[in-house]
Amino acid sequence: MATAVRLAASIPADNRDMLEQFPELYSTLRHIARRERRRNPSDTMNTTVVVNEAWLKLKHSSMQWQDEQHYLATAALAMRQLLVDYARRSAATKRTRVDDCPLFNNDCELNKTSSSILALDQALQQLEQLEPRLTRLVELRFFAGLTLPESARCLGISPRTANREWSRARAFIQTAMQS
Amino acid sequence: MLIDAASWNRVSKLFDQFATLTPAQRQQQLADLELDAATSTWLQKLLAAHDSSDTRLLDQTLNQMAADLIGAQHADAGEIPAQISGQLLGHWRVGDAIARGAMAAVFHGERADGAYEQHVAIKLLQPGPYRHSESEQLREELRLLARLEHPGIARLIDGGISTQGWPYLVMEYVDGVHIDQWCAEQKLDRRQRLQLLLKVCDAVRYAHSKLVVHADLKPSNVLVNRDGEPKLVDFGIASLLREHQRDHQDSHADVQTGLLLRCTPAYAAPEQLRGEPVSTSNDVFGLGALLYELLTGARIRDGRTVTALLLGQDPDASIIMPSQRQHTLLPAGELRGDLDAICRCALAADPQQRYRAVDPLRQDLLNHLQHYPVSARTPAKSYLLSRWLYRHRLGAAAASAVMISLLAGLTVSIRQTELANANARRAQAVQTFLLDIFDAADPVANQQNPVLVNDLLRQQQEKLRMSTTTEPLLQQELRRTLASLQNNLGNHADALNIYQNLLAELPADASPEQRADLHNLIAGQYERLGQLQTALEHAETATELVPLADKVSDTSVQALRTLASIHSELRDNETATDSLEQALQYRDAILALDNGKALLGSLLADLSEKYGMLGDTDKALTTLAEARQWYAQIYPEMHPEQAQTDAREAGIQRAAGDFSQAAAASLRAARKSRQLFGAMHTQSLRDETALAVDLAYLKCYDKAVAIYQQTVARYRELFGENNLLYANALLNLASMRRKLDDHTAALEDINNTLSIYARHGEQATDMQAYALSIKAQLLFALDDSQQALQINTEALDLMRATVGEHHPQYLRVMVSQGHLAARLQQWELAEQHLRTAYDGLLQALGPESTFTRDAAIKLAQVYQSSSDETALQALLTKTGLNHDDLATAQASTENPQPRSQCSLPEPFDLSEFALTSS
């Protein structure tokens, strides 16, 4: 919690336009991601590029972002949301159980991916209750594709602390996803 | 496998310390620590995960996964293009864009088939996870929303899923501006702003009565048109989206992230942000947020708080009260006090502390505007559901809609309670159940064949009984609700039946409180059914289960009140007074309860009634005044409890013989009830009946008849012609007509009454007996003494069975019996009846009572007529009567006095109650 307070402290109070930022950001991220997929259907997708492009686009939009760090924290959450929504949708369309998958079946890969993302989301929800900052760290690093030092800067903690917390978060998530 | 925050704290410190060590070092250090099993297990698991060489999800990059997920959605509906003008959606043609947001776009639209001209707004939602099979389900929900027809709500006209997969909604087009913008443009002052908001409250309240929650109230969803009338848009859309989303979650409960997109974090209630199911309480919060913004010009949460919310942080962060803000639209002096308190109560983080529904919020705004005290300034406390129901058993005014409003109040409250328990499945079940009632009761749908409340409730009761799917706890709650409805409608046998079953089904390990509560409710029903001995047993059981001396609680106080009331019915006002006075010794403990002031007020009010019956009018009125003082602290003047207090005052004055004062108090009670509940409510009808009784005492029979005629008509409209309350009203009318010597009409009413009672069997025996005795009087007046005697005998037999041979009422009917026999010159029979009646009355009421005296005179007349001088002399000696008394009595029977004049105190305006004069 301390992090968010510190993070929030850098933002001037009563900026009304900020309130609508999340949906807009979500929408922008999705737009860019889908465009990327259409452009390079056979390639993998660089989510960091997506996040950065959204920043460039939004920086000059009517919405005022206080700073890039605030943007990144929100974008990481939006990215998590975006992928969870996609995973949920694909889980809803294809309900084949992972174990039933024959080899080399793309649908099964997809199902594994979506169930992994959904399981991760659930583990993050558990972690949120215990240590919210670790959740933020995972979002920044995994979903927004930031490096560890970048994530540390965004959260206002030392790289050493970030490193220790990353180990802890990773071990927790691994444990929670196995159970 | 779950771990709590405290254990996590321990484990995480140890993990940091151990993670960098070698296995050998770990072993050694671990041995030195004495860890509990859970901590040790977790630590081992975390370390194992840390050491594992398996590929961890978090070590991969998201890139491939993102590509898989996003690329896979070929079949997924595309985004809404910027220009879709001219496209067809169902019957509608899309026009120019009105607004675009991230999640939806709104367009002008018109009827495509030209069937009629209609300008609409079409809202296209970003494609959600809808599949074709679900479109029917969506339509179902849209139908629910389309039921909302209110001038303050933009109507939903149509909707569905387009062939492209876009869910769309067709809504009434509102040409207006956002409410905050309107207030600013028109430079509205505080009163005008509050009045505007009151209209919004009305619309929301209406929607709640139709089981629809807005869930996303904010200035941009309240448009004000050129006439200054506010209209809510997007009603229920937020929850509609959420419902569907939830369906797709399977086991993956989504706590925060999904919600952020469905409501507006700046305005959403904390529990909404936590992902709890939507409830009416969300809208109370939303209205609070609107109020706040209209008063201060600022949102309840500033940017930094919202950022914290977006990051999943504490949504309970406290809200700065309007008067404490540095810049507000209105002077801080206008905001301090009432408006701060109203905002605080509406915006309470805990729904339990919030206004329980829109209505109390609306009432407080009204109270503030009218300079009444607002309830928010005394802290809101949690009440049991039953107490809540008690206060909200009451509906609105519309005649044919009375049962709808009765049910609606309940519906919303139950749904809310269920939702407050975060039990979405139960809430769903309740909603379905109650919607069934709605459909059956809808007066518009059933115009041809209106359903009566009673039939409806019995149907539901049966349905509930047969249902095996409903959860036991929920079943019980619903049955209690039905019972409380039945009670309010006067169907005590039905209510009793439900409570008895609930008691029988109570598990062995139920708490004494639960048990006592049901015994208390059962006692109350027996009391109302006139089976006082049985009532007494249950009330005693209840008080023994939860003795006040052991623990002062709502249940123990209520049980004692019931017991006292039954004692009083059994004409033992001394015992009743004693126990109430004893209860008052726990005054401090009672006041410490959540509803302490209300309870104490009721105890005092009960006690005042008993003092009144014991003839101590002064003490009664002082005590009642004390009760009023407590009530004044918690209730506004226009409150059911205040109306009841006026009715009690009338009772005290009536017992004291001051009928002018009684009538004045009855009039106050009747006025309040009518304003609170509307004319078509049983409470209003009861109070008007009491008013008529007082008018009759004042000999204003024609006015009483006029009132009774109205109550009779209303009961018939409400409950049909086979209802006990209707029969009782008819009986009142008959006895009043008798006073006006309108014997034929009275007899007709009585016969109707009796045939209704006959259909109700035992339940109506006491009333039947009373009606029979009046019928005998009427027949006597119509010179059919033979039949009169026969009918009176029936009355006597019934009364013996119900009230017993020593009850004054029985003895008075026996006096009539003797009198009738004397009229038929059956001297022996007459003597026998009058002698027994006289002895009984002497014992029950003493020699001074007019009834005893009346019996004595009639008996003496019989001795005179049958020339039994010895017996006559003995009687005259015993009673102190003389021959002159007998002569006077004789004269007044032979030449009845002209009817006395109505002595109504001036000014006494009855115009609102007795519109039609007979």
Side-chain angles (χ1 to χ4, degrees):
Chain A
M1 184 156 315
T3 318
V5 172
R6 213 174 309 154
L7 182 75
S10 63
I11 299 165
D14 267 319
N15 185 340
R16 296 176 51 143
D17 295 330
M18 264 198 52
L19 306 172
E20 266 82 34
Q21 283 171 333
F22 189 88
E24 168 106 23
L25 176 52
Y26 177 94
S27 178
T28 308
L29 286 177
R30 185 173 61 178
H31 183 77
I32 297 172
R34 293 181 65 83
R35 195 204 56 211
E36 281 299 301
R37 288 304 295 146
R38 278 199 300 276
R39 230 179 252 172
N40 308 306
S42 55
D43 239 357
T44 67
M45 194 170 76
N46 191 332
T47 46
T48 318
V49 168
V50 173
V51 169
N52 287 341
E53 188 181 331
W55 166 241
L56 290 175
K57 192 171 170 198
L58 288 170
K59 204 160 63 167
H60 302 295
S61 75
S62 58
M63 307 263 175
Q64 291 297 303
W65 290 89
Q66 273 67 45
D67 56 42
E68 193 169 355
Q69 285 170 9
H70 164 62
Y71 164 78
L72 286 171
T74 318
L77 183 64
M79 200 61 173
R80 170 180 166 196
Q81 172 72 53
L82 180 68
L83 290 177
V84 167
D85 281 350
Y86 270 109
R88 196 176 286 143
R89 216 171 296 171
S90 92
T93 5
K94 300 247 180 240
R95 283 171 200 267
T96 340
R97 284 175 51 212
V98 179
D99 312 42
D100 298 343
C101 280
L103 285 173
F104 311 116
N105 181 325
N106 283 337
D107 278 353
C108 286
E109 278 308 312
L110 170 62
N111 251 335
K112 269 184 205 156
T113 306
S114 49
S115 58
S116 299
I117 292 287
L118 293 174
L120 172 62
D121 185 55
Q122 215 174 20
L124 283 174
Q125 284 174 32
Q126 286 173 28
L127 190 57
E128 177 89 48
Q129 306 298 316
L130 301 171
E131 230 177 318
R133 193 165 73 190
L134 299 197
T135 313
R136 302 287 86 79
L137 182 60
V138 174
E139 279 165 2
L140 288 167
R141 221 187 143 184
F142 185 72
F143 286 102
L146 265 61
T147 63
L148 198 57
E150 281 169 346
S151 309
R153 204 175 325 124
C154 187
L155 289 171
I157 55 177
S158 74
R160 224 174 122 252
T161 309
N163 195 27
R164 210 170 43 234
E165 295 195 341
W166 175 253
S167 295
R168 201 155 74 223
R170 196 175 55 168
F172 176 86
I173 282 168
Q174 180 85 344
T175 313
M177 282 176 67
Q178 274 163 4
S179 66
Chain B
M1 186 175 57
L2 290 170
I3 181 167
D4 62 84
S7 313
W8 172 255
N9 201 13
R10 263 198 314 280
V11 171
S12 67
K13 282 203 184 87
L14 289 167
F15 174 83
D16 286 354
Q17 186 186 331
F18 278 66
T20 51
L21 302 180
T22 63
Q25 289 170 314
R26 284 183 196 164
Q27 278 297 335
Q28 197 192 342
Q29 292 201 18
L30 203 56
D32 297 343
L33 294 165
E34 284 178 17
L35 296 179
D36 60 276
T39 311
S40 172
T41 315
W42 258 97
L43 183 59
Q44 306 274 9
K45 283 193 180 204
L46 287 178
L47 290 172
H50 180 70
D51 297 341
S52 161
S53 56
D54 294 351
T55 329
R56 300 178 194 86
L57 177 65
L58 288 187
D59 292 339
Q60 303 172 31
T61 74
L62 187 61
N63 297 350
Q64 183 59 50
M65 287 188 259
D68 284 351
L69 285 171
I70 296 173
Q73 312 284 323
H74 303 302
D76 185 32
E79 305 216 357
I80 303 162
Q83 260 312 326
I84 59 164
S85 184
Q87 277 215 32
L88 291 186
L89 294 171
H91 301 297
W92 307 93
R93 178 173 290 115
V94 181
D96 296 337
I98 299 173
R100 279 187 88 89
M103 301 311 296
V106 187
F107 299 89
H108 289 281
E110 59 184 11
R111 189 86 191 175
D113 54 12
Y116 44 89
E117 215 167 292
Q118 193 170 15
H119 183 186
V120 296
I122 298 178
K123 183 162 190 151
L124 276 170
L125 304 173
Q126 269 305 347
Y130 295 98
R131 282 173 300 153
H132 185 67
S133 62
E134 284 150 6
S135 76
E136 211 23 62
Q137 197 186 340
L138 178 73
R139 284 190 172 280
E140 196 53 48
E141 307 222 10
L142 291 177
R143 270 194 280 275
L144 188 70
L145 292 178
R147 296 166 78 124
L148 296 182
E149 288 192 42
H150 189 274
I153 297 174
R155 210 158 59 82
L156 181 71
I157 298 162
D158 194 1
I161 300 177
S162 76
T163 45
Q164 299 92 329
W166 305 316
Y168 66 92
L169 305 162
V170 181
M171 290 174 294
E172 176 188 350
Y173 176 72
V174 181
D175 186 11
V177 299
H178 299 174
I179 188 169
D180 53 338
Q181 199 186 335
W182 172 266
C183 288
E185 282 171 10
Q186 303 290 317
K187 299 192 175 62
L188 300 188
D189 65 13
R190 177 176 54 98
R191 294 191 74 82
Q192 291 166 319
R193 282 164 193 250
L194 292 180
Q195 273 151 359
L196 196 59
L197 192 69
L198 277 171
K199 291 183 181 169
V200 178
C201 287
D202 284 339
V204 177
R205 185 171 64 151
Y206 163 82
H208 287 185
S209 78
K210 293 280 182 192
L211 301 179
V212 179
V213 173
H214 190 293
D216 194 16
L217 287 172
K218 55 181 174 183
S220 57
N221 275 337
V222 186
L223 302 179
V224 183
N225 65 19
R226 281 194 203 96
D227 305 328
E229 294 300 320
K231 258 187 201 288
L232 284 158
V233 297
D234 278 2
F235 227 106
I237 310 283
S239 32
L240 185 75
L241 287 170
R242 202 159 318 147
E243 288 294 325
H244 279 268
Q245 193 188 36
R246 194 161 42 212
D247 289 345
H248 285 275
Q249 282 178 9
D250 297 314
S251 58
H252 301 285
D254 187 84
V255 172
Q256 58 172 23
T257 50
L259 278 165
L260 291 177
L261 299 173
R262 307 297 183 220
C263 59
T264 313
Y267 297 97
E271 72 275 12
Q272 219 172 339
L273 293 167
R274 282 196 299 269
E276 288 171 22
V278 176
S279 82
T280 52
S281 196
N282 299 159
D283 282 351
V284 172
F285 190 95
L287 286 168
L290 269 178
L291 169 67
Y292 189 97
E293 190 154 344
L294 293 188
L295 294 175
T296 62
R299 298 187 181 183
I300 52 166
R301 299 187 178 111
D302 60 19
R304 84 174 60 185
T305 319
V306 174
T307 308
L309 286 175
L310 284 171
L311 293 173
Q313 303 297 335
D314 183 17
D316 298 347
S318 61
I319 291 163
I320 307 164
M321 279 306 115
S323 69
Q324 303 300 309
R325 295 195 72 96
Q326 285 183 340
H327 307 286
T328 59
L329 291 173
L330 303 166
E334 286 191 15
L335 304 174
R336 210 170 289 126
D338 281 1
L339 291 172
D340 271 354
I342 295 175
C343 283
R344 194 177 295 118
C345 188
L347 294 167
D350 177 3
Q352 293 285 321
Q353 300 294 320
R354 212 172 287 158
Y355 286 109
R356 287 193 155 52
V358 176
D359 211 40
L361 164 61
R362 184 181 154 277
Q363 190 60 49
D364 260 3
L365 290 173
L366 266 177
N367 285 345
H368 169 73
L369 283 172
Q370 296 168 357
H371 309 291
Y372 282 120
V374 305
S375 73
R377 295 187 76 168
T378 51
K381 298 283 182 173
S382 63
Y383 283 80
L384 292 172
L385 172 64
S386 55
R387 295 280 149 264
W388 199 88
L389 287 179
Y390 182 76
R391 281 184 289 120
H392 287 80
R393 67 201 143 144
L394 338 150
S400 57
V402 67
M403 63 174 130
I404 299 288
S405 55
L406 264 172
L407 292 169
L410 289 166
T411 307
V412 171
S413 73
I414 295 178
R415 184 164 155 76
Q416 206 169 21
T417 314
E418 291 308 320
L419 290 171
N421 297 338
N423 195 333
R425 206 158 66 77
R426 270 174 70 182
Q428 196 69 45
V430 178
Q431 184 170 17
T432 316
F433 172 77
L434 291 160
L435 271 175
D436 279 357
I437 304 193
F438 265 93
D439 284 338
D442 192 337
V444 182
N446 292 302
Q447 251 164 358
Q448 300 301 319
N449 202 357
V451 183
L452 296 170
V453 177
N454 290 340
D455 299 339
L456 195 63
L457 292 184
R458 284 199 190 110
Q459 277 168 22
Q460 292 308 319
Q461 205 165 322
E462 188 56 20
K463 226 171 170 177
L464 252 188
R465 208 175 59 76
M466 304 299 291
S467 139
T468 48
T469 49
T470 319
E471 284 175 38
L473 265 178
L474 171 61
Q475 265 241 13
Q476 283 168 23
E477 211 61 81
L478 291 177
R479 283 156 71 195
R480 281 181 76 118
T481 308
L482 274 177
S484 116
L485 262 180
Q486 296 282 25
N487 172 59
N488 292 338
L489 298 174
N491 302 327
H492 301 299
D494 291 290
L496 176 63
N497 192 8
I498 298 177
Y499 288 138
Q500 276 174 327
N501 287 335
L502 283 172
L503 181 65
E505 291 163 24
L506 218 52
D509 61 348
S511 70
E513 291 265 330
Q514 284 175 296
R515 219 166 269 285
D517 186 37
L518 281 170
H519 276 293
N520 180 36
L521 292 165
I522 290 173
Q525 297 308 316
Y526 273 122
E527 182 189 358
R528 266 150 244 166
L529 286 167
Q531 300 180 33
L532 297 177
Q533 282 305 332
T534 324
L536 188 63
E537 282 162 29
H538 282 282
E540 279 171 347
T541 313
T543 48
E544 281 158 17
L545 279 166
V546 285
L548 202 57
D550 289 0
K551 182 169 176 250
V552 174
S553 69
D554 185 64
T555 318
S556 59
V557 175
Q558 299 291 8
L560 203 110
R561 286 183 63 201
T562 311
L563 184 66
S565 153
I566 297 166
H567 275 302
S568 171
E569 293 269 344
L570 285 164
R571 312 180 57 77
D572 187 356
N573 281 312
E574 286 82 0
T575 312
T577 311
D578 275 356
S579 33
L580 290 172
E581 280 175 346
Q582 266 173 32
L584 281 175
Q585 290 174 358
Y586 299 96
R587 180 183 288 254
D588 293 340
I590 294 172
L591 279 175
L593 294 172
D594 277 353
N595 54 344
K597 287 178 180 171
L599 272 180
L600 187 60
S602 317
L603 273 175
L604 287 164
D606 285 356
L607 187 59
S608 73
E609 255 178 8
K610 309 302 171 257
Y611 288 145
M613 287 179 206
L614 289 169
D616 195 340
T617 310
D618 289 344
K619 207 165 169 186
L621 291 176
T622 336
T623 314
L624 193 68
E626 207 186 325
R628 277 189 200 276
Q629 280 170 13
W630 289 108
Y631 285 155
Q633 291 185 33
I634 42 176
Y635 303 133
E637 192 53 31
M638 269 304 156
H639 187 278
E641 210 62 58
Q642 304 274 25
Q644 212 192 334
T645 311
D646 287 331
R648 287 179 198 257
E649 186 186 326
I652 294 168
Q653 300 286 14
R654 197 178 302 134
D658 189 340
F659 300 120
S660 303
Q661 291 281 2
S666 288
L667 182 63
R668 280 202 303 276
R671 278 208 179 117
K672 279 180 195 161
S673 288
R674 181 173 284 204
Q675 194 169 338
L676 282 163
F677 312 132
M680 292 300 289
H681 194 280
T682 47
Q683 187 61 49
S684 308
L685 293 170
R686 268 199 287 274
D687 287 343
E688 283 163 37
T689 304
L691 175 60
V693 168
D694 290 330
L695 292 171
Y697 276 120
L698 291 168
K699 311 226 181 320
C700 308
Y701 300 121
D702 50 348
K703 293 201 167 55
V705 164
I707 291 181
Y708 279 140
Q709 277 175 331
Q710 285 200 351
T711 50
V712 164
R714 293 208 174 104
Y715 275 121
R716 182 172 44 213
E717 196 178 330
L718 275 174
F719 304 122
E721 291 194 349
N722 188 25
N723 174 270
L724 286 179
L725 292 176
Y726 167 65
N728 294 349
L730 210 51
L731 180 61
N732 282 328
L733 178 59
S735 59
M736 224 27 61
R737 283 190 161 142
R738 181 180 145 229
K739 302 266 190 205
L740 287 170
D741 294 330
D742 189 355
H743 300 302
T744 324
L747 191 61
E748 196 181 317
D749 291 339
I750 281 278
N751 285 334
N752 282 334
T753 310
L754 280 168
S755 62
I756 299 170
Y757 288 148
R759 284 196 288 272
H760 281 81
E762 269 189 28
Q763 198 185 153
T765 312
D766 53 341
M767 293 309 292
Q768 199 179 358
Y770 179 59
L772 283 169
S773 72
I774 293 183
K775 181 176 178 181
Q777 300 283 334
L778 286 168
L779 289 168
F780 176 70
L782 291 165
D783 281 328
D784 190 349
S785 301
Q786 191 68 46
Q787 213 200 330
L789 186 66
Q790 196 188 325
I791 297 288
N792 210 55
T793 314
E794 277 181 49
L796 267 181
D797 290 344
L798 279 179
M799 281 182 134
R800 197 180 307 115
T802 50
V803 298
E805 291 180 330
H806 303 291
H807 200 281
Q809 211 181 329
Y810 172 79
L811 296 166
R812 282 179 60 197
V813 176
M814 194 168 232
V815 173
S816 312
Q817 183 79 346
H819 188 53
L820 285 167
R823 199 67 190 285
L824 292 163
Q825 304 195 340
Q826 300 181 7
W827 304 119
E828 208 172 307
L829 189 65
E831 195 264 349
Q832 190 191 329
H833 282 315
L834 286 168
R835 162 67 63 188
T836 319
Y838 168 71
D839 287 345
L841 285 167
L842 188 62
Q843 207 163 13
L845 303 176
E848 298 301 321
S849 159
T850 46
F851 300 129
T852 317
R853 220 175 113 91
D854 177 53
I857 289 175
K858 292 207 162 82
L859 182 58
Q861 287 171 337
V862 169
Y863 289 142
Q864 262 184 336
S865 312
S866 59
S867 315
D868 189 342
E869 281 303 323
T870 334
L872 178 64
Q873 215 47 58
L875 183 67
L876 291 181
T877 318
K878 184 177 176 187
T879 55
L881 292 169
N882 55 38
H883 284 279
D884 289 347
D885 293 328
L886 296 186
T888 319
Q890 189 66 31
S892 75
T893 340
E894 278 158 16
N895 304 304
Q897 301 278 315
R899 221 177 22 244
S900 352
Q901 286 302 299
C902 167
S903 55
L904 202 57
E906 290 295 333
F908 204 88
D909 182 12
L910 280 171
S911 52
E912 61 199 288
F913 297 108
L915 299 170
T916 54
S917 188
S918 58

